[in-house]
Amino acid sequence: MAFTFENGEWNLKSGGQVWHLERLAKERPRPFYLYDLDSVSERARAFAKAPGQVHYAMKANAHPRLLSVLRQAGFGVDVVSLGEMQKALACGFSPQRVIFSGVGKDTEDLKAALAHRIFQINAESFEELQALAVLTASTGQTADVAIRLNIHLTAPTHKNIQTATEESKFGLDLRLLPEVLSWLKTQPQLRLKALAVHIGSQILDVSVFETMSRKMGELFRDVKAQSFPLERLDLGGGLGIDYQNDGAEDFPRLQRYFKALSAHDSPAQLLLEPGRFLVARSGVLIAKVVYVKRGVSRQFAILNAGMTSLMRPALYDAYHRIEPLRVRGGERETYSVVGPICESTDVFAEAREMPRLAAGDHVAIFEAGAYGAVMANTYNESPLPEQWSVLDGRMEVL
Ligand code: LLP
């Protein structure tokens, strides 16, 4: 890890340079994100052993410099909106490395995907396939499509990020597949090249990925036997990280994940769409303690960053490590760490024990590189946080 704690302070090291985070924070009046992009490239290298072709789920973090690190590592992208697609293309990804997922792609989105002749459109419903059929029939174009299936698998994760429970809005319900397949036979301009799945996010128990891969392998064999030009299985993303610690377990878990994905027992080529695993640990959100305020039975550390900068704790009760950038003395205290936003859920941590804080101190909220800045919003007219990044000894803001 290139964020290191030495002599009582947190630093970021890259290419022989050392940045003292407290010093950086003092120069910046507003909360900001800081990304260690060397760590993203290290994680990308770990995917050299992946059992398939990697398409980074750019919804996790779409910072242009980060995208360019992953593009140079040879990854494609998984996008879920026209905005993401345009950004990926502007960052130099070839349309032939773009997968377009998403449950509500409208005519404009589909037209753009067809115009760019992207690698694969992941349709999530019969209705979306029908819209695609109309568009392609009117232009005489062909399109390579995947059907994202809801295979009714409850992933062991927070219910707000499960995506394949029976009533989930994502994917085509497995029970509708036979009807859709017989209709597809009448639409030769739509070439069914892949079956896709994504069962949820922040999954640590990899055994569910094995079940998923087996099931998808069975479906691949079945559908292939019905003379569709199937070539690949898109197994989505979803591998989590342990937010309670700094990541020693991540790489062994990644190997177990690769093994689990290989259970499909079919001739399919695999596609993977990892997001969080690649980028979560690369980012910290740095904020200032505005007040330490006494309550009746607790004390609040009130930060200048809130749920508008990092929504995960408010949305999913997510745990993030929080550390003061500089520690003086050995005293520890327990705080409710909260933001300034006018919402009771604007809480980063309840009853968190940590080194003693004082007004004017700065803290780092760790593991904020995935689903952090991309979900930031301007409620209460909060400005969006700046995003700084370090790569090969160079710091930049974009
Ligand atoms: N592929 C598809 C189709 C997806 O919907 C997602 C994430 C991924 C890949 C990447 O999943 P990952 O490897 O990052 O788990 N905002 C939530 C997470 C939402 C995930 C949405 N889909 C959070 O902060 O935990």
Side-chain angles (χ1 to χ4, degrees):
M1 251 222 339
F3 288 109
T4 53
F5 185 66
E6 281 166 1
N7 305 323
E9 55 173 332
W10 281 94
N11 305 311
L12 174 56
K13 293 185 181 168
S14 168
Q17 304 267 9
V18 182
W19 285 273
H20 302 288
L21 300 191
E22 176 76 14
R23 238 179 271 167
L24 278 183
K26 285 205 163 124
E27 292 160 9
R28 292 165 178 77
R30 305 288 322 153
F32 62 98
Y33 279 91
L34 177 61
Y35 304 125
D36 162 20
L37 298 184
D38 300 305
S39 78
V40 174
S41 69
E42 184 192 340
R43 286 192 170 230
R45 282 195 298 277
F47 274 78
K49 295 213 184 97
Q53 194 174 301
V54 185
H55 290 252
Y56 167 59
M58 70 180 273
K59 64 168 79 72
N61 186 325
H63 188 270
R65 219 175 164 207
L66 182 148
L67 288 178
S68 120
V69 166
L70 292 175
R71 180 177 55 73
Q72 282 163 25
F75 290 9
V77 274
D78 168 55
V79 306
V80 289
S81 69
L82 191 50
E84 283 192 355
M85 184 169 84
Q86 285 162 343
K87 188 165 186 182
L89 297 176
C91 285
F93 285 94
S94 144
Q96 266 309 301
R97 302 304 311 278
V98 175
I99 295 175
F100 199 165
S101 306
V103 72
K105 299 190 277 308
D106 68 10
T107 311
E108 291 314 304
D109 300 331
L110 295 173
K111 267 189 190 161
L114 290 170
H116 287 289
R117 301 188 171 279
I118 65 165
F119 174 63
Q120 181 175 296
I121 300 174
N122 287 6
E124 299 214 16
S125 61
F126 198 174
E127 293 72 11
E128 184 182 350
L129 283 166
Q130 286 165 331
L132 254 179
V134 171
L135 285 175
T136 45
S138 68
T139 58
Q141 241 187 307
T142 54
D144 285 356
V145 296
I147 301 178
R148 172 171 169 183
L149 293 166
N150 177 351
I151 59 171
H152 308 158
L153 204 56
T154 303
T157 187
H158 190 281
K159 70 171 177 31
N160 293 5
I161 47 178
Q162 291 169 335
T163 51
T165 54
E166 235 183 67
E167 293 300 341
S168 165
K169 72 173 180 180
F170 299 102
L172 177 88
D173 192 284
L174 208 47
R175 287 165 289 207
L176 300 179
L177 186 59
E179 183 190 343
V180 170
L181 290 176
S182 51
W183 171 84
L184 261 182
K185 290 229 158 106
T186 67
Q187 307 293 322
Q189 79 281 21
L190 299 183
R191 291 188 303 227
L192 182 62
K193 286 291 176 104
L195 298 177
V197 70
H198 172 75
I199 57 173
S201 192
Q202 180 49 18
I203 298 167
L204 291 173
D205 177 359
V206 301
S207 60
V208 69
F209 291 115
E210 190 177 328
T211 312
M212 170 193 91
S213 177
R214 280 226 174 85
K215 178 77 194 158
M216 292 304 287
E218 266 168 42
L219 289 164
F220 182 92
R221 291 191 304 270
D222 272 13
V223 176
K224 181 91 188 155
Q226 299 172 48
S227 329
F228 286 96
L230 266 192
E231 290 171 5
R232 33 194 199 252
L233 280 175
D234 178 345
L235 298 183
L239 180 63
I241 59 153
D242 181 353
Y243 281 88
Q244 310 267 344
N245 70 44
D246 70 2
E249 266 304 302
D250 289 0
F251 289 93
R253 190 179 295 109
L254 183 68
Q255 299 312 320
R256 294 201 298 277
Y257 171 67
F258 290 160
K259 190 157 176 251
L261 292 186
S262 307
H264 58 97
D265 190 22
S266 80
Q269 184 208 348
L270 294 191
L271 305 174
L272 278 59
E273 301 170 352
R276 183 188 321 265
F277 186 90
L278 285 164
V279 299
R281 292 201 195 273
S282 74
V284 294
L285 172 64
I286 293 182
K288 187 161 87 180
V289 179
V290 185
Y291 296 113
V292 175
K293 163 173 160 171
R294 249 185 304 139
V296 176
S297 60
R298 62 177 69 193
Q299 49 181 351
F300 297 96
I302 304 179
L303 307 183
N304 65 347
M307 62 193 284
T308 51
S309 298
L310 177 65
M311 289 184 84
R312 303 195 67 259
L315 268 183
Y316 323 108
D317 285 323
Y319 182 97
H320 283 262
R321 294 183 299 136
I322 305 173
E323 301 288 347
L325 295 185
R326 181 175 286 156
V327 177
R328 295 172 244 87
E331 286 158 296
R332 296 180 73 82
E333 297 269 343
T334 300
Y335 301 100
S336 287
V337 183
V338 303
I341 303 301
C342 298
E343 288 287 330
S344 304
T345 51
D346 185 27
V347 176
F348 287 117
E350 292 285 11
R352 184 71 64 87
E353 200 210 275
M354 62 171 75
R356 182 182 208 147
L357 296 172
D361 287 352
H362 290 90
V363 297
I365 304 179
F366 282 88
E367 281 80 51
Y371 306 108
V374 282
M375 294 175 78
N377 61 79
T378 58
Y379 181 43
N380 288 183
E381 295 298 318
S382 313
L384 293 174
E386 279 185 346
Q387 298 177 69
W388 290 81
S389 64
V390 163
L391 175 66
D392 283 338
R394 262 187 334 126
M395 179 174 287
E396 279 180 16
V397 67
L398 274 182

